[in-house]
Amino acid sequence: MGQSNRGFSDTGLRRVRDVLARHVDSGKIPGLVALVSRYGETHVETLGTMRHDGGAPMRRDTIFRMASTSKPVAVSAAMVLLDECRLRLDDPVQEWLPELADRQVLRQADGPLDDTVPARRPITVRDLLTSTFGLGLDTTAPGSPMMQKIFEQGLYAQAELAAPNPDEWMRRLGTLPLMYQPGERWLYNISDDVLGVLVSRVSGKSFEAFLRERIFEPLGMKDTGFHVPADKIDRLPPLYAPDPQTGELHVWDEAVSGRHSQPPAFQSGGGGLDSTVDDYHAYFRMLLNHGMHGTERILSRSAVELMTTNRLTSEQLAAREAWARNIVHLAYGTGQHGGWGFGMAVRTYRGDYASIGQFGWDGGAGTSTYADPDKQLIGILLTQVGMSTGDSSRVMHDFWTTVYQAIED
């Protein structure tokens, strides 16, 4: 693309490519696909190969495990139900999820599982949407009895163990107390998986079927789903987990015969989607367009505003910011935005090159997807190098640093 793109400088786009190429040339990132767009101008870079030992090149239609960048897309299904008044923000969820009725709450989040008090109130739809229903991953206390139990029970649906089907998953979840009172504290991930079960039970369809009908098909997201079918599996690279000590690339999930080659028993809104840069671009462009895709309305303007602006109270914000700051050395600097909307982070302060109001999220498989209403910018960076080392996080940081420098107005 030699001509000057409206909104990006040629020099800036060259720097984006050069910096990404440096990471690929280092041997730490086998390959990547990156997309940036502003005002209808889209620029895509494909660098490196599908496998670390060479072979087929990365392509624009390469399919990636989106990991936690599934969250901002998966949450849209619940927003459709809110728009249609089939759910309300402050409805108790136990009508559809009786497994979550009559909760007990740990006296101390990292304490013994039998030292509990009754929940002060029922869990609501809003608690699930804001990740504040009382259960989630606490990366600051990985050895706590609750964290051990969550992994033992297969409740972290993206982990090694295959998660059970949704009803069994909910049954197991229902055997656990909450870590915090409903609405008290932002906690990561589990609420996004519960939302998928809620959508399925309210709609009477599988979570994937509902997403496909209401979000994926209208947006033309033809390569997005919870597994990669056999006729597309050659477009899925392996997922690598670098050795934390040596940095050596180990295959964590193969493409053929791997975790994403068959329909999963549990369709995880927290981290189960597979997709491409163009599918994700269509989705984030819809959010920037206040819920419109061309002439078709996918979500109401109000639903998009709720999702993409901060929904946490000052107390919840303080806890989330402290969490993010205290694990920068473990998260390699990701996760520091301040706020949280529904299913995604929202930047509430200027902490790096991005504008306040930027929304999106990163994924542990080396994926990063954000939109910035202030700059009318979308950026998507997809690798398949897991965050067992900081290599994929550093690529993300450098990607965003150069993308913001490439803006010329």
Side-chain angles (χ1 to χ4, degrees):
M1 293 197 171
Q3 89 282 14
S4 176
N5 286 337
R6 191 152 66 95
F8 293 114
S9 73
D10 284 346
T11 317
L13 289 174
R14 267 199 304 277
R15 177 176 281 178
V16 173
R17 183 184 172 85
D18 290 347
V19 166
L20 293 177
R22 199 187 308 157
H23 286 277
V24 173
D25 294 344
S26 75
K28 292 181 172 167
I29 305 290
L32 57 83
V33 180
L35 178 150
V36 291
S37 77
R38 281 187 91 202
Y39 307 128
E41 296 279 359
T42 302
H43 183 84
V44 176
E45 294 290 355
T46 56
L47 294 165
T49 50
M50 301 270 278
R51 305 189 70 92
H52 84 88
D53 42 14
M58 282 285 181
R59 302 192 331 205
R60 183 167 178 159
D61 69 351
T62 295
I63 297 171
F64 292 84
R65 299 163 193 76
M66 299 307 288
S68 284
T69 49
S70 302
K71 293 175 170 70
V73 172
V75 75
S76 62
M79 305 313 291
V80 169
L81 295 174
L82 285 172
D83 275 343
E84 295 179 351
C85 300
R86 292 156 80 182
L87 281 177
R88 298 181 199 91
L89 282 170
D90 293 306
D91 277 345
V93 295
Q94 59 207 41
E95 179 187 339
W96 303 280
L97 305 173
E99 299 92 341
L100 293 181
D102 306 320
R103 296 291 78 202
Q104 290 290 310
V105 183
L106 294 178
R107 275 184 205 275
Q108 290 197 288
D110 57 356
L113 298 183
D114 55 1
D115 185 13
T116 61
V117 296
R120 289 195 286 264
R121 64 162 176 80
I123 294 164
T124 65
V125 175
R126 186 190 302 269
D127 297 331
L128 292 179
L129 284 165
T130 52
S131 292
T132 60
F133 87 104
L135 264 181
L137 302 184
D138 186 354
T139 41
T140 56
S144 68
M146 179 60 87
M147 283 301 100
Q148 288 174 320
K149 197 74 174 168
I150 283 170
F151 283 99
E152 266 169 37
Q153 292 280 324
L155 291 167
Y156 181 41
Q158 297 89 52
E160 288 287 349
L161 293 165
N165 70 54
D167 292 344
E168 171 60 15
W169 189 89
M170 284 303 306
R171 187 198 68 75
R172 294 183 194 180
L173 193 69
T175 65
L176 299 178
L178 303 178
M179 295 156 69
Y180 292 91
Q181 289 286 345
E184 184 184 359
R185 179 72 66 101
W186 181 88
L187 287 163
Y188 191 51
N189 197 77
I190 291 181
S191 55
D192 298 278
D193 283 338
V194 179
L195 273 174
V197 183
L198 178 66
V199 166
S200 174
R201 290 188 182 175
V202 173
S203 68
K205 302 176 177 181
S206 78
F207 185 36
E208 182 168 37
F210 188 80
L211 274 167
R212 177 147 286 125
E213 181 187 313
R214 303 306 300 271
I215 304 294
F216 301 162
E217 281 177 358
L219 286 171
M221 297 171 70
K222 61 186 188 299
D223 292 321
T224 302
F226 287 103
H227 84 289
V228 181
D231 61 346
K232 296 181 181 180
I233 200 81
D234 61 313
R235 290 161 55 193
L236 179 73
L239 173 59
Y240 292 101
D243 183 294
Q245 269 62 56
T246 65
E248 190 186 344
L249 290 168
H250 298 293
V251 173
W252 194 76
D253 186 37
E254 241 338 320
V256 180
S257 81
R259 289 182 191 82
H260 290 253
S261 64
Q262 298 291 327
F266 187 90
Q267 296 167 353
S268 166
L273 287 176
D274 303 299
S275 194
T276 62
V277 284
D278 284 301
D279 280 10
Y280 256 62
H281 185 221
Y283 179 80
F284 274 82
R285 200 170 50 209
M286 178 272 289
L287 295 183
L288 275 190
N289 291 338
H290 314 291
M292 294 296 288
H293 176 68
T295 56
E296 190 175 357
R297 182 159 287 290
I298 308 294
L299 295 172
S300 69
R301 178 185 275 262
S302 301
V304 173
E305 286 169 357
L306 278 171
M307 291 162 71
T308 61
T309 54
N310 177 54
R311 299 268 67 78
L312 299 185
T313 64
S314 52
E315 295 84 7
Q316 292 164 346
L317 264 180
R320 172 161 149 68
E321 286 196 43
W323 167 82
R325 277 196 301 271
N326 290 338
I327 63 158
V328 289
H329 59 301
L330 302 173
Y332 310 107
T334 50
Q336 299 174 82
H337 310 79
W340 194 260
F342 292 161
M344 64 190 96
V346 179
R347 194 169 290 288
T348 54
Y349 63 91
R350 190 76 189 250
D352 61 18
Y353 284 60
S355 327
I356 290 172
Q358 183 208 42
F359 57 80
W361 196 228
D362 306 303
T367 54
S368 186
T369 61
Y370 289 87
D372 181 335
D374 178 59
K375 300 283 189 289
Q376 284 298 299
L377 168 77
I378 296 167
I380 301 166
L381 175 68
L382 305 179
T383 79
Q384 293 286 248
V385 177
M387 290 191 185
S388 46
T389 63
D391 294 322
S392 51
S393 288
R394 285 190 271 272
V395 186
M396 290 178 201
H397 278 275
D398 293 353
F399 172 66
W400 289 108
T401 299
T402 53
V403 166
Y404 276 93
Q405 289 181 59
I407 291 174
E408 292 290 343
D409 287 324

